[in-house]
Amino acid sequence: MFTHITTERLLIRSFTDADADDFHARRDDPEFSKYQNSVTPYPREVADEIVASVAAMAGPTLGEWWMAIVEDRHAGDVYGDLALRLSDDGRTAEVGYTFDSGRWGNGYAVESLDSLVAFLFEELDVTRVFGMLHPDNPASAMVLERTGFRFEGHTRRSFWLDDEVSDDWIYGMVREDWEAWRTRRRTPPDEIRLVEVSVENLDQAVKLETHKTQERFVARMERSMADALFPEIVEGAPIVPWMRAIETDGELVGFVMLALRTEHHAEPILWRFLIDRRHQRRGIGGRALDLVEAACLDKGDTTLVTSWCEGTGSPRPFYEAHGFVATGRMVDGETEARKVLRDPIG
């Protein structure tokens, strides 16, 4: 029987009949239905039936959808709900989450889903947890990514709602993934270095990866290697790549590639910049960028140019926080930005 789960800020508890109003309001929000298997206006009688059914359940039940309320641990305000369905004799769990659109962006979905996943592996002893979502909903995908789920597949025209069909993204996690994610390093590293990509570390370098949603902004490692091997022709001459792996405490955690300043190219370009998904949010990016800028100064450069795609999860805030200013130009559909480099000593 399920009782409750508590986190730093949240209480995850069973449904009661009194939750029908909030449940209906969340499902009736057009922002919710945009990427879900429902339409608005959401029928109140359907909401009442679902809440009554779930409230009568003692906890997760094989083959049926069960849900739990997520509320403020202290104030009791309801923020959203989590959904769960067990299959394969209880060895597999599919999860979902719905939060009031006014509460988005506060980390409640990540915090509550993370605790639910721990409950599934520790208390229910599941083997695999997965979630499915619309490819045009990166905010939802980022919830799964920040909880440690890995992108597993993209099925085409596989999800039907009445006569409308869409693709599906599948994220999954097995116990080994969960254990590796929860024990990963989360604190700032003691040391950061830029090291040459060599035969000795190439296998480690090519395994570096971002989250799936970040591939809209950062090329995969195999593409970066291919671009370095066959550089683009710009202004009548090939770009000259300069590659380095980012190393912290003896481990490769990222990758950077510049297009160097040459007689044909007036400024260096920060061409690729990647921090591995397991090492993000450790303060590595800013410190690595400082090292890149120092390397540019050593080469006699006075500026550094980069560009970014716009959208949910764009690196724009990161670059702007580190002194890059948009030039007003669009290059291959990306926003161009420049930073004037200043020697920290001079």
Side-chain angles (χ1 to χ4, degrees):
M1 180 175 180
F2 179 82
T3 54
H4 65 275
I5 301 171
T6 57
T7 70
E8 181 180 354
R9 299 181 294 173
L10 306 173
L11 170 67
I12 301 169
R13 60 166 176 82
S14 298
F15 264 75
T16 69
D17 291 337
D19 293 310
D21 287 344
D22 285 330
F23 179 82
H24 175 257
R26 285 191 296 278
R27 266 56 181 182
D28 200 42
D29 184 347
E31 287 298 311
F32 163 80
S33 62
K34 189 183 300 183
Y35 301 115
Q36 302 292 334
N37 60 340
S38 64
V39 296
T40 53
Y42 192 86
R44 177 57 195 248
E45 60 272 19
V46 173
D48 290 343
E49 290 175 6
I50 291 175
V51 170
S53 175
V54 173
M57 299 171 69
T61 303
L62 185 64
E64 297 184 41
W65 278 105
W66 171 83
M67 290 186 291
I69 288 291
V70 179
E71 65 180 36
D72 185 284
R73 181 176 175 180
H74 306 289
D77 298 331
V78 173
Y79 293 159
D81 55 75
L82 301 173
L84 162 64
R85 181 173 62 179
L86 297 173
S87 60
D88 299 321
D89 293 326
R91 293 186 291 264
T92 301
E94 181 177 0
V95 294
Y97 36 87
T98 305
F99 282 77
D100 187 312
S101 58
R103 306 289 187 178
W104 294 352
N106 293 292
Y108 298 135
V110 173
E111 185 174 333
S112 58
L113 181 60
D114 185 65
S115 66
L116 179 65
V117 168
F119 168 77
L120 290 169
F121 281 117
E122 293 179 331
E123 302 298 326
L124 299 190
D125 199 30
V126 301
T127 299
R128 165 178 159 77
V129 184
F130 74 99
M132 304 176 71
L133 54 89
H134 196 291
D136 294 338
N137 192 3
S140 181
M142 290 164 67
V143 170
L144 293 169
E145 291 170 347
R146 289 182 57 191
T147 314
F149 285 76
R150 300 181 65 92
F151 177 77
E152 293 185 335
H154 180 171
T155 62
R156 297 179 297 164
R157 299 183 182 180
S158 55
F159 185 85
W160 287 89
L161 178 60
D162 296 329
D163 293 329
E164 297 292 328
V165 66
S166 68
D167 295 0
D168 246 347
W169 273 8
I170 305 171
Y171 280 82
M173 176 191 294
V174 297
R175 179 175 292 276
E176 292 82 1
D177 298 329
W178 175 65
E179 291 175 346
W181 184 256
R182 68 172 181 159
T183 58
R184 75 193 187 283
R185 294 182 179 179
R186 307 188 192 191
T187 56
D190 295 329
E191 179 187 22
I192 296 180
R193 299 194 305 142
L194 300 182
V195 299
E196 291 191 26
V197 178
S198 63
V199 172
E200 287 73 21
N201 64 21
L202 181 61
D203 284 346
Q204 298 176 56
V206 296
K207 291 178 182 178
L208 296 169
E209 61 176 348
T210 63
H211 292 299
K212 175 63 177 178
T213 56
Q214 295 169 335
E215 291 179 6
R216 298 171 296 152
F217 312 112
V218 183
R220 294 165 62 97
M221 284 300 299
E222 56 264 34
R223 176 58 189 269
S224 292
M225 294 297 182
D227 286 345
L229 184 61
F230 302 101
E232 181 182 358
I233 304 298
V234 176
E235 302 295 334
I239 289 174
V240 178
W242 180 87
M243 297 185 297
R244 291 294 186 272
I246 302 168
E247 182 184 85
T248 66
D249 305 325
E251 181 181 6
L252 296 192
V253 300
F255 173 79
V256 62
M257 184 162 71
L258 299 178
L260 294 178
R261 174 174 55 88
T262 70
E263 61 178 314
H264 301 283
H265 310 115
E267 299 173 282
I269 299 172
L270 182 55
W271 193 2
R272 299 288 157 77
F273 191 52
L274 178 155
I275 304 298
D276 187 85
R277 58 185 287 273
R278 298 166 300 156
H279 296 280
Q280 295 178 14
R281 299 176 178 270
R282 294 181 61 200
I284 294 172
R287 292 168 63 184
L289 185 56
D290 288 343
L291 295 177
V292 172
E293 293 174 11
C296 290
L297 286 168
D298 286 344
K299 299 176 187 299
D301 299 318
T302 58
T303 59
L304 180 61
V305 174
T306 192
S307 62
W308 57 71
C309 294
E310 304 290 354
T312 302
S314 168
R316 171 193 273 269
F318 169 80
Y319 285 120
E320 290 183 334
H322 287 84
F324 284 85
V325 178
T327 66
R329 294 181 63 227
M330 298 296 292
V331 179
D332 295 330
E334 298 186 0
T335 300
E336 182 189 70
R338 176 181 290 106
K339 180 174 183 177
V340 177
L341 303 179
R342 294 180 174 84
D343 192 324
I345 298 177

